Amino acid sequence: MAIALSYADYCALLQENADSKIASHQTDITLKYPSQLGHGFMREVRLREGLALAIADYQYHDDIIIYTPDREHLLEYTFNIPDDYSSLADAIPYHLFGSGIALRESCQEYANQRIIWVSVHINPDVFRAFAGTPDGEVPNALQHLIGDPNQEYYVRPGQATPAMHIALRQILHCPYQGFTQRMFLEGKVLELMSLLLEQEAEIHLGKQAFAALKPDDVDRVYYAKDILLQQLNNPPSLTQLARQVGLNECTLKRGFRQVFGTTAFSYLYEYRLEQARQLLQERRLNVSEVAHSVGFGSCSHLSKAFRHKYGISPKQYQTQYHTSDF
């Protein structure tokens, strides 16, 4: 039988476990989950007034239902990380929320299911401040995210793009501590927000055509992605790829952007860079061998792409990673 809790009781259980804190600072608090509910942790990093990052990794002993009342909802985005997350090929769903009223609801989570998420909350005033104008007026394509405080909030689901994957990885494996950690995390949190907002604006301006794909077409788009990742060193052309998966080029282009938020070969490019970064961390191969294994063809080609993406050469990254023990 599921355990039923009000949201207030659930929060109280977390806060009561003061002696179970595994790390605590005024702006960075990590709490163990109450043993009567499960195991794991929830961490909150207050980056600045009105901007907070939360990371959770936990598992319940029993099914649990949490009842939440009507409440004020800030701007928010949440990425749900799969338990076996290992590469850019993994699907990571997200939800982008506008501000407004969240109506009462019940949320059920299940026993023995590992739950990992990264969530960011942004006060509307902080969001408006980025407009850089005296009245804080946000662009028309994004005004729906600052909802009427008396109306239900806006929400849109989506799938993480390769660029979002990389920022998430960097948040989850931040190599810094203290002052520099907060600066790094705030930068990555805002980078993720900018990627989501660019996508959101394109959708509302009609630049991203989100005509529904047939389920079979979605399967073929995923098949196309698998083919690309299996042939890193010699990927097919778009025409060849479309032919292999049984779609016309137009549908494949539209489908890839709709499913993955980018073009097929931008996805491949980002995947190659991420694979190169992971191989450099492992230190089993030199830079030239890494370049060949991920399909860049030459050390200089990888170095140029890597420096453009990460602001550092592959060799410097490998040395820095080893030194700082990422």
Side-chain angles (χ1 to χ4, degrees):
M1 181 179 294
I3 297 173
L5 291 171
S6 70
Y7 184 68
D9 288 341
Y10 173 75
C11 290
L13 277 174
L14 288 176
Q15 295 301 324
E16 283 172 6
N17 282 345
D19 58 353
S20 295
K21 289 182 181 179
I22 56 180
S24 178
H25 187 273
Q26 186 177 5
T27 59
D28 190 344
I29 299 173
T30 303
L31 290 168
K32 286 185 178 179
Y33 253 74
S35 58
Q36 58 267 53
L37 295 182
H39 62 272
F41 70 88
M42 180 181 293
R43 177 187 178 198
E44 182 181 27
V45 185
R46 297 167 190 167
L47 299 169
R48 67 167 72 179
E49 186 68 30
L51 179 63
L53 163 69
I55 301 171
D57 184 347
Y58 57 88
Q59 188 169 308
Y60 291 117
H61 298 319
D62 301 289
D63 293 355
I64 187 168
I65 302 174
I66 300 171
Y67 295 94
T68 59
D70 292 355
R71 62 201 185 280
E72 180 184 1
H73 198 286
L74 301 178
L75 277 157
E76 176 187 341
Y77 62 80
T78 298
F79 288 83
N80 296 102
I81 315 295
D83 186 9
D84 56 353
Y85 178 43
S86 60
S87 78
L88 292 179
D90 295 330
I92 298 184
Y94 71 77
H95 285 82
L96 174 65
F97 303 90
S99 61
I101 293 294
L103 301 179
R104 69 186 65 184
E105 61 181 348
S106 62
C107 174
Q108 180 162 0
E109 295 185 293
Y110 298 96
N112 303 316
Q113 178 180 334
R114 189 179 178 193
I115 299 166
I116 309 171
W117 48 257
V118 173
S119 185
V120 171
H121 293 81
I122 306 171
N123 187 289
D125 290 338
V126 173
F127 185 73
R128 290 189 186 95
F130 284 100
T133 59
D135 58 1
E137 186 175 355
V138 301
N140 290 336
L142 299 175
Q143 286 183 0
H144 61 283
L145 295 175
I146 308 292
D148 183 326
N150 299 311
Q151 298 295 321
E152 189 173 359
Y153 64 88
Y154 166 86
V155 58
R156 175 180 64 80
Q159 290 283 341
T161 65
M164 294 175 192
H165 271 259
I166 292 168
L168 281 168
R169 277 184 177 275
Q170 292 170 332
I171 287 172
L172 291 169
H173 303 287
C174 174
Y176 307 114
Q177 298 295 325
F179 183 80
T180 52
Q181 180 191 73
R182 289 185 64 213
M183 290 186 69
F184 179 86
L185 289 175
E186 180 167 326
K188 292 302 166 184
V189 158
L190 295 177
E191 179 183 341
L192 267 178
M193 189 64 179
S194 67
L195 292 168
L196 288 165
L197 293 180
E198 184 67 20
Q199 196 176 71
E200 185 71 15
E202 288 187 354
I203 291 170
H204 279 264
L205 291 172
K207 292 181 180 179
Q208 283 198 25
F210 274 75
L213 288 171
K214 298 176 183 177
D216 183 60
D217 289 347
V218 174
D219 290 341
R220 292 173 190 270
V221 169
Y222 275 99
Y223 179 35
K225 179 263 295 181
D226 291 340
I227 291 173
L228 286 176
L229 301 191
Q230 290 164 8
Q231 300 180 34
L232 287 179
N233 287 305
N234 187 28
S237 68
L238 191 65
T239 301
Q240 292 169 329
L241 185 61
R243 188 179 300 120
Q244 286 184 56
V245 301
L247 292 173
N248 61 53
E249 284 188 48
C250 182
T251 301
L252 179 59
K253 286 180 182 178
R254 177 172 63 87
F256 218 95
R257 184 170 288 280
Q258 182 168 333
V259 173
F260 297 109
T262 189
T263 66
F265 290 99
S266 289
Y267 186 97
L268 178 63
Y269 180 81
E270 295 287 351
Y271 182 83
R272 281 172 165 167
L273 282 173
E274 175 62 12
Q275 290 300 108
R277 189 184 67 81
Q278 292 185 42
L279 288 172
L280 290 167
Q281 288 180 10
E282 293 171 5
R283 298 177 60 83
R284 293 184 294 105
L285 304 175
N286 62 36
V287 175
S288 182
E289 290 168 333
V290 169
H292 178 74
S293 69
V294 300
F296 269 101
S298 71
C299 184
S300 61
H301 188 188
L302 171 62
S303 294
K304 182 178 179 180
F306 198 91
R307 187 181 290 276
H308 183 265
K309 179 68 181 179
Y310 299 107
I312 189 172
S313 74
K315 186 64 177 176
Q316 289 171 323
Y317 180 84
Q318 196 171 50
T319 302
Q320 177 178 302
Y321 185 91
H322 178 67
T323 302
S324 60
D325 192 25
F326 259 55

